[in-house]
């Protein structure tokens, strides 16, 4: 009987130890944010730190790639002593999560994702004005301060130099309808990728979003995709660099990494004009750790963090007193379309419905 009691006691002690081990680390950083396993691994957010009692925690939802995300969080924690509880997943998934949690917010800060995506969810954010607003380019700040841009992201055409002769390098969006590129264009589904949605809106704007000519171009573009639409924006630059596709439509900040690493790829800023919708950062309405959240926002927008992101990860700053990444042209030299944030956010459902009609034809 004594032996049985001791065995039961040992089992209970082992179970208690396991539970403590599982609950001890609240900072969940599990690799690339877009993978489903990351979201599954971070769904338990009964967050005892979110009590508003002066605890040194802040909960951040972010779709950023792992390297700049983890580097930024590490610097913030070391500088402030505030622990970041991170939930990493895709932009759309995290924004829908904030919407679903709006009656009892579990998130304090949304960091990352295109500002046009954030603009569609401003009812779940509250105004925030950076303490160093004088050094932040006003072109990348919401007029009502519901979000602040943290890095402008020009969209580019990336090409594989082994597959595309110098004389055939596309100079603009219109070249993507050339039959020689049929089935050789890497483009992610805009229903799943925020950057691809921005590219779709950029092309519509370049050719005429209001007179129907933009959609005429999109029909020709889709025909040249030849049924090949990728499920992830991360696949675009990887598959072009690997030679699976000749050209791809992607973010400058991702393509430039391959150029700087010496890969056989090049980038083009489309002659018809591109966009530079910034990744944004926003304060979640009803944040339970508002003071810590504002400290986090100010850190991300600080010269210290912006300089690190530019130097180490090729991310353009929104600050006017911070140098752009080495090797990138100044924004003033890049042809730009007149990108309409309000249209891109308010008309997203209609735009995506028209896109779906075209791809199922």
């Amino acid at each position: 009987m004594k032996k049985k009691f001791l065995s039961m006691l040992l089992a209970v002690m082992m179970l208690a130890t396991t539970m403590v081990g599982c609950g001890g680390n609240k900072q969940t950083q599990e690799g690339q944010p877009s993978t489903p396993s990351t979201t599954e691994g971070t769904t338990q957010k009964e967050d005892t730190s979110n009590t508003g009692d002066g605890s040194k925690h802040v909960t951040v939802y972010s779709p950023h790639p792992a390297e700049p995300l983890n580097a930024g969080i590490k610097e913030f924690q070391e500088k402030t002593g505030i622990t970041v509880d991170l939930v990493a997943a895709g932009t759309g998934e995290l924004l829908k999560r904030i919407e679903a949690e709006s009656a009892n917010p579990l998130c304090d800060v949304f960091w990352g994702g295109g500002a046009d995506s954030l603009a569609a969810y401003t009812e779940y954010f509250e105004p925030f004005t950076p303490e160093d607003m004088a050094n932040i380019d006003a072109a990348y700040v919401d007029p009502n301060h519901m979000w602040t841009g943290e890095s402008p992201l020009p969209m580019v055409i990336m090409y594989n130099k082994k597959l595309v002769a110098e004389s055939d390098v596309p100079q603009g969006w219109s070249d993507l309808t050339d039959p020689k590129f049929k089935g050789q264009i890497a483009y992610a589904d805009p229903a799943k990728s925020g950057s691809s949605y921005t590219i779709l809106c950029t092309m519509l704007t370049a050719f005429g979003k209001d007179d129907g000519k933009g959609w005429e171009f999109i029909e020709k573009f889709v025909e040249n995709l030849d049924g090949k639409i990728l499920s992830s924006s991360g696949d675009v630059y990887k598959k072009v660099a690997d030679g699976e596709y000749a050209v791809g439509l992607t973010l400058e900040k991702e393509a430039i990494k391959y150029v700087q690493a010496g890969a056989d790829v090049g980038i083009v800023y489309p002659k018809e004009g591109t966009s530079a919708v910034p990744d944004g950062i926003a304060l979640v309405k009803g944040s339970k750790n508002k003071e810590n959240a504002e400290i986090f926002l100010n850190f991300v927008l600080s010269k210290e963090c912006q300089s690190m992101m530019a130097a180490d990860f090729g991310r353009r700053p929104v600050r006017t007193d911070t140098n752009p990444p080495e090797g990138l042209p100044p924004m003033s030299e890049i042809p730009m379309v007149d990108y309409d944030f309000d249209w891109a956010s308010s008309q997203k459902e209609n735009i995506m419905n028209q896109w779906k009609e075209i791809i199922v034809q």
Side-chain angles (χ1 to χ4, degrees):
M1 192 69 180
K2 183 176 181 181
K3 184 181 295 185
K4 183 176 180 181
F5 173 79
L6 289 174
S7 297
M8 291 173 63
L9 179 61
L10 179 60
V12 170
M13 291 174 65
M14 289 177 67
L15 177 60
T17 302
T18 303
M19 290 174 69
V20 170
C22 290
N25 182 10
K26 293 189 66 60
Q27 184 177 346
T28 49
Q29 300 174 0
E30 301 171 346
Q32 282 291 349
S34 59
T35 58
S37 61
T38 301
T39 305
E40 293 170 6
T42 57
T43 43
Q44 49 176 15
K45 296 301 290 183
E46 283 302 322
D47 201 347
T48 55
S49 67
N50 276 348
T51 59
D53 60 359
S55 59
K56 300 284 283 185
H57 285 258
V58 62
T59 299
V60 176
Y61 288 5
S62 179
H64 273 325
E67 289 186 359
L69 177 60
N70 292 340
I73 288 174
K74 180 175 182 291
E75 288 290 321
F76 173 77
Q77 293 185 142
E78 290 178 353
K79 180 173 181 177
T80 66
I82 298 170
T83 298
V84 174
D85 300 323
L86 173 67
V87 177
T91 300
E93 183 178 353
L94 291 173
L95 288 171
K96 289 181 183 301
R97 182 167 176 165
I98 288 174
E99 179 183 19
E101 297 169 350
S102 60
N104 180 33
L106 300 180
C107 175
D108 301 308
V109 176
F110 186 87
W111 179 27
D116 48 355
S117 295
L118 273 67
Y121 283 79
T122 53
E123 64 182 291
Y124 305 108
F125 303 137
E126 59 182 85
F128 169 78
T129 302
E131 61 184 12
D132 202 11
M133 186 64 208
N135 289 309
I136 296 174
D137 190 334
Y140 303 118
V141 179
D142 175 59
N144 297 314
H145 294 274
M146 303 305 287
W147 54 263
T148 305
E150 50 106 3
S151 179
L153 303 173
M155 300 298 172
V156 300
I157 299 172
M158 179 181 179
Y159 64 94
N160 187 301
K161 293 182 178 180
K162 291 182 177 179
L163 300 178
V164 181
E166 188 173 348
S167 59
D168 291 333
V169 173
Q171 298 302 306
W173 306 117
S174 58
D175 294 328
L176 301 175
T177 61
D178 192 311
K180 65 173 170 264
F181 291 124
K182 189 164 188 174
Q184 289 296 307
I185 304 168
Y187 179 67
D189 185 352
K192 298 179 180 179
S193 164
S195 60
S196 282
Y197 177 70
T198 300
I199 291 170
L200 173 61
C201 291
T202 302
M203 293 189 293
L204 285 169
T205 302
F207 292 93
K209 65 181 179 65
D210 298 320
D211 60 8
K213 293 183 179 178
W215 285 110
E216 290 176 10
F217 168 79
I218 295 300
E219 288 181 2
K220 297 175 184 176
F221 169 70
V222 168
E223 183 180 353
N224 231 27
L225 291 178
D226 200 25
K228 299 177 181 179
I229 300 176
L230 303 180
S231 60
S232 166
S233 58
D235 285 339
V236 174
Y237 43 87
K238 292 173 185 174
K239 290 181 181 292
V240 173
D242 290 344
E244 293 185 48
Y245 288 85
V247 299
L249 311 188
T250 187
L251 298 156
E252 175 197 63
K253 73 181 179 72
E254 300 298 347
I256 198 64
K257 294 176 186 176
Y258 289 90
V259 174
Q260 293 172 340
D264 287 320
V265 299
I267 63 175
V268 172
Y269 299 94
K271 62 185 180 182
E272 301 94 345
T274 188
S275 60
V277 174
D279 271 347
I281 188 166
L283 175 64
V284 174
K285 183 184 290 185
S287 164
K288 295 185 175 71
N289 293 297
K290 186 173 181 179
E291 183 178 347
N292 294 342
E294 291 180 341
I295 293 171
F296 186 86
L297 273 91
N298 279 318
F299 172 78
V300 168
L301 298 167
S302 69
K303 186 170 184 177
E304 174 188 357
C305 184
Q306 292 263 298
S307 297
M308 177 190 72
M309 291 294 177
D312 296 346
F313 302 105
R315 292 178 61 81
R316 290 180 181 269
V318 291
R319 295 182 63 95
T320 56
D321 60 353
T322 305
N323 294 326
E326 186 176 348
L328 294 182
M331 292 293 296
S332 59
E333 295 181 6
I334 300 175
M336 305 292 289
V337 299
D338 184 13
Y339 193 91
D340 188 335
F341 281 94
D342 291 337
W343 167 76
S345 61
S346 65
Q347 296 300 309
K348 185 170 185 177
E349 184 176 356
N350 292 334
I351 292 169
M352 288 310 305
N353 284 339
Q354 286 188 258
W355 164 261
K356 290 172 185 175
E357 287 180 10
I358 291 173
I359 63 174
V360 298
Q361 288 178 358

